[in-house]
DNA sequence: GACAAAACAGGACAACCGGTCTGTTTATAA
DNA sequence: TTATAAACAGACCGGTTGTCCTGTTTTGTC
């Protein structure tokens, strides 16, 4: 054992001018393109050009287009739902408050951008759920985690004496369905007002009346 | 003016063994395929084979694939929404009753089939809204007609002394968004229970509580 | 029957897509 | 230094797609 001490961690290679790896760049471009043009509407050639990546590099990190799609779903879409929905709801004073905050934040964001791309999860769910069982399973997992997080928040509120008289599972289903459908309508109409209308009609405001 | 009286209407020709026209056959096949495999996922070759139509015939009735897509949206999807939603709601005793009936009918149908294809309008809306302005406009028209029909039913109920305390526009937005989102979740989970959960959480039952 | 236009049939084509293949560079370990 | 394998580069190929083009048949009009 006259060899020197290893000074680099095996498996953690870094490129000269690419400290974070080319894989991340591809995922960034793919995530954006899948949302705007869909999975089938995004060709690998387009992604390669947009990311500045050669065909060999892309094939090295993602052997097939399906592998890239699954990576986007598992790593990016799931993270987006966790960041924009699950986190804020769990951090809010109550489930109802959290839902209202997220709806308002989403509407504000859409109006600020002036362009509605839709919900990443729903966009891919519609296109890929019936096309491939693996895609469907990956998307269903995200929906389930989303629902369970909201339902669990309601149960926690109820143990603290709040949110009486509502069914956790039903509330979670209603909230997610309404949000998804409202984003679908907003995307088609290219207008965010329907999101605020749905929020006002939901039983999360002062007067739950529709 | 010695000519005889015309005895046939110009432009209303009929084929020998095709009394209803080949155009209808193509629309039937395209409508079904677009819903299951999407617009981009349905190749003209597949449609030609499924409909038993030659390329020349298809090109004669629909010069481009986009023309076929617009025809499916304008003639079939709009009609489907009118038949399964607008009609039953207008015929019901009240808007709330109508919504509940349609939700239950949809859930029954899904459970009977054992397979969830999703809402035709939403499926195409997600795939085509951002892809083409003409598609988006056609789909937005259907959404708008859907919303206005439900809102108008609520207003009619209110003039008859019912459905007090609810905003017609908000109610319509909530109902359609919830239905669309619930169908999206049902499609991804391949299960119809979420539809019944959303119905129970909607303010159309005896106890509107979520 | 003669003529014109619509309604089809079916092949051909250029463009594109996803995947594969063979090199070349770079980093790690001995 | 040298061996080794990962990280890329870039050309290539078979298959598919949407569209177009040229014939042939049917339908309606004079």
């Amino acid at each position: 054992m006259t060899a020197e001490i290893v000074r680099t961690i095996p498996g953690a290679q870094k490129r000269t001018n690419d400290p974070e790896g080319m894989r991340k760049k591809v995922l960034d471009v793919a995530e954006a393109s899948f949302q705007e043009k869909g999975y089938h509407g995004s060709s690998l050639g387009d992604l390669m050009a947009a990311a500045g990546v050669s065909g060999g590099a892309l094939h090295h990190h993602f052997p097939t287009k399906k592998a890239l799609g699954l990576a986007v779903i598992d790593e990016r879409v799931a993270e987006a739902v966790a960041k924009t929905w699950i986190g804020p709801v769990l951090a809010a004073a109550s489930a109802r408050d959290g839902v209202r905050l997220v709806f308002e934040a989403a509407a504000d964001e859409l109006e600020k951008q002036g362009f509605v791309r839709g919900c990443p999860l729903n966009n891919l769910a519609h296109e890929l759920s019936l096309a491939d069982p693996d895609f469907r399973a990956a998307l269903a997992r995200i929906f389930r985690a989303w629902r369970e997080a909201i339902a669990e928040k309601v149960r926690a509120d109820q143990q603290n004496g709040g949110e009486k008289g509502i069914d956790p599972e039903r509330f979670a289903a209603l909230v997610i369905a309404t949000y998804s459908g409202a984003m679908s309508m907003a995307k088609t109409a290219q207008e965010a007002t329907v999101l605020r209308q749905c929020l006002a009609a939901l039983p999360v405001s002062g007067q739950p009346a529709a």
Side-chain angles (χ1 to χ4, degrees), chain A:
Chain A
M1 297 300 185
T2 58
E4 305 172 8
I5 302 170
V6 289
R7 47 180 88 113
T8 57
I9 304 170
Q13 295 120 353
K14 290 188 176 183
R15 282 262 116 184
T16 320
N17 56 354
D18 200 347
E20 294 195 341
M22 191 164 285
R23 187 187 135 95
K24 176 180 168 61
K25 189 68 176 295
V26 173
L27 283 176
D28 289 341
V29 171
E31 180 185 9
S33 184
F34 285 174
Q35 190 174 3
E36 283 209 22
K37 304 195 288 182
Y39 176 81
H40 292 294
S42 302
S43 74
L44 294 181
D46 294 343
L47 299 179
M48 284 161 49
V53 171
S54 68
L58 194 152
H59 178 262
H60 176 71
H61 293 287
F62 307 100
T64 66
K65 189 183 182 183
K66 177 177 174 177
L68 173 59
L70 287 174
V72 168
I73 294 172
D74 289 335
E75 303 177 24
R76 299 307 183 92
V77 177
E79 188 188 14
V81 172
K83 183 180 179 183
T84 63
W85 258 99
I86 297 178
V89 167
L90 295 184
S94 70
R96 280 202 278 241
D97 281 346
V99 169
R100 191 172 61 246
L101 258 45
V102 173
F103 259 81
E104 289 173 351
D108 290 345
E109 179 69 16
L110 293 186
E111 289 171 353
K112 197 181 72 179
Q113 292 179 184
F115 176 62
V116 184
R117 276 186 290 265
C119 171
L121 177 58
N122 262 274
N123 290 351
L124 291 178
H126 272 91
E127 185 179 5
L128 302 177
S129 282
L130 298 186
D132 186 285
D134 296 325
F135 280 135
R136 193 187 69 79
L139 295 161
R141 276 195 300 270
I142 302 178
F143 268 117
R144 179 166 296 274
W146 190 359
R147 285 187 58 175
E148 287 184 358
I150 294 180
E152 190 60 32
K153 174 68 175 178
V154 173
R155 292 192 201 98
D157 293 344
Q158 288 177 338
Q159 286 188 349
N160 295 338
E163 307 288 13
K164 292 183 180 178
I166 68 174
D167 183 287
E169 285 292 338
R170 287 181 184 172
F171 178 79
L174 175 68
V175 165
I176 296 177
T178 303
Y179 176 79
S180 299
M183 285 296 288
S184 174
M185 294 175 71
K187 179 181 173 183
T188 304
Q190 281 298 307
E191 200 193 0
T193 57
V194 65
L195 258 172
R196 301 199 186 277
Q197 290 177 315
C198 286
L199 173 60
L202 233 32
V204 295
S205 308
Q207 44 179 9

